[in-house]
Amino acid sequence: MALTDEQIERYSRHIILKEVGAKGQKKLLEAKVLIIGAGGLGAPVAMYLAAAGVGTIGIADADEVDLSNLQRQIIHGTADVGKAKVKSAAETIAQMNPDVKVNTYRTFVSSENIRELIRDYDFIIDGTDNFPAKFLINDACVMEKKPFCHAGIIRFKGQIMTYVPGEGPCYRCVFKNPPPKDAVPTCKQAGVIGAMGGVIGSLQAMEAIKYIIGKGELLTGKLLTYDALTMEFHTIKLPKDTHNCAVCGDHPTITELIDYEQAECDMKK
């Protein structure tokens, strides 16, 4: 695939980088990235990946745009309130970059659909805001051998890590199981500074880009944390031993996907 004159101009700041060049830009244009969640994290991820020329971007989200979203979910505007988030996001991307194909999935991810959703993509972004979804994404990516980038934000803090099959621990290696329901407050309960999504979401986009072009060091085997109030980043080295992990270990005990929210409901019946 040869770059057009318009593409050479659009991506000129990429192409002059020796780490990217025309070859790397072609890799981006041929890549497929799925973003699960079009909220505070997914919004900046989608915009930066679209601007970078990632050729196919999938966006999965069942919600509609709410006025309270606009403080941080920058892919949506006031006129989009009440509109499906995936539709709003797709319209914004279409205005940004005609090179990008957007696949929209207006659905909640679940054990029944996630493996099929992620199967055709090269890299997965976890832009969700709840633990059941994060563990579901992790387990599905491990089972389908898909690299993904996890992130979470709350108040003035954020964290991010990347999983690549065979190259480091998964999310479950580190956090084992979801905390009890309501043990950890959500952003809706505790609040979040809007720009935090931009900081951590941009780092997720960077991880996806580095993976696609095959340059730099990913956050595999590391958890990067950020405190906006102290303006401090910390890199925590994660345990290298993944042999006993319940999903990615040598003898996994989790061999089927779990919908934790549904499981909790079933136990209460």
Side-chain angles (χ1 to χ4, degrees):
M1 177 188 71
L3 298 176
T4 65
D5 291 343
E6 183 176 325
Q7 288 173 328
I8 290 171
E9 182 176 359
R10 178 185 288 272
Y11 307 118
S12 60
R13 302 304 191 275
H14 276 176
I15 294 169
I16 62 174
L17 294 170
K18 65 180 177 63
E19 294 86 354
V20 183
K23 183 178 180 180
Q25 189 59 52
K26 289 176 184 178
K27 288 181 179 180
L28 290 168
L29 288 163
E30 294 168 354
K32 298 179 180 180
V33 177
L34 176 66
I35 302 167
I36 302 178
L41 291 167
V45 173
M47 293 181 77
Y48 270 111
L49 293 183
V54 171
T56 302
I57 296 176
I59 304 175
D61 196 304
D63 290 338
E64 297 178 349
V65 179
D66 182 86
L67 190 61
S68 67
N69 299 151
L70 304 185
Q71 160 257 15
R72 64 200 177 281
Q73 299 179 17
I74 58 172
I75 205 166
H76 313 299
T78 303
D80 297 317
V81 171
K83 187 182 295 184
K85 285 185 178 180
V86 293
K87 185 174 188 293
S88 169
E91 290 173 350
T92 300
I93 291 172
Q95 292 178 351
M96 289 178 62
N97 192 347
D99 284 342
V100 180
K101 175 186 177 184
V102 181
N103 297 327
T104 59
Y105 309 95
R106 191 178 181 186
T107 182
F108 289 108
V109 295
S110 70
S111 62
E112 295 182 354
N113 65 14
I114 188 169
R115 294 185 73 164
E116 184 178 354
L117 279 175
I118 68 176
R119 196 161 286 156
D120 291 334
Y121 289 88
D122 305 311
F123 194 89
I124 314 300
I125 297 288
D126 169 15
T128 63
D129 62 357
N130 65 87
F131 289 105
K134 291 186 179 302
F135 278 89
L136 180 66
I137 292 168
N138 176 83
D139 295 354
C141 286
V142 170
M143 292 176 186
E144 289 292 326
K145 296 180 172 57
K146 295 290 183 179
F148 81 96
C149 185
H150 148 80
I153 55 174
I154 193 168
R155 300 189 179 99
F156 290 84
K157 295 184 178 181
Q159 66 180 34
I160 174 175
M161 64 174 281
T162 296
Y163 167 78
V164 176
E167 295 186 15
C170 73
Y171 182 77
R172 194 180 282 275
C173 288
V174 183
F175 298 104
K176 308 301 181 188
N177 293 293
K181 189 176 181 180
D182 299 326
V184 180
T186 64
C187 287
K188 185 175 182 179
Q189 296 167 325
V192 62
I193 196 72
M196 182 59 66
V199 174
I200 303 299
S202 296
L203 292 176
Q204 285 188 286
M206 184 62 74
E207 287 289 277
I209 290 169
K210 288 190 301 180
Y211 177 81
I212 292 165
I213 65 174
K215 298 293 182 180
E217 294 184 14
L218 297 171
L219 287 169
T220 52
K222 306 169 194 171
L223 180 71
L224 181 68
T225 66
Y226 172 60
D227 187 327
L229 291 179
T230 60
M231 200 54 77
E232 291 181 320
F233 285 92
H234 291 286
T235 302
I236 302 167
K237 290 187 177 180
L238 301 177
K240 294 182 179 180
D241 186 0
T242 64
H243 299 295
N244 295 321
C245 176
V247 67
C248 77
D250 296 339
H251 304 286
T253 55
I254 297 175
T255 57
E256 295 183 0
L257 296 175
I258 305 168
D259 289 310
Y260 282 100
E261 289 181 331
Q262 184 61 47
E264 288 176 357
C265 291
D266 290 343
M267 286 189 293
K268 292 177 182 178
K269 289 180 180 179

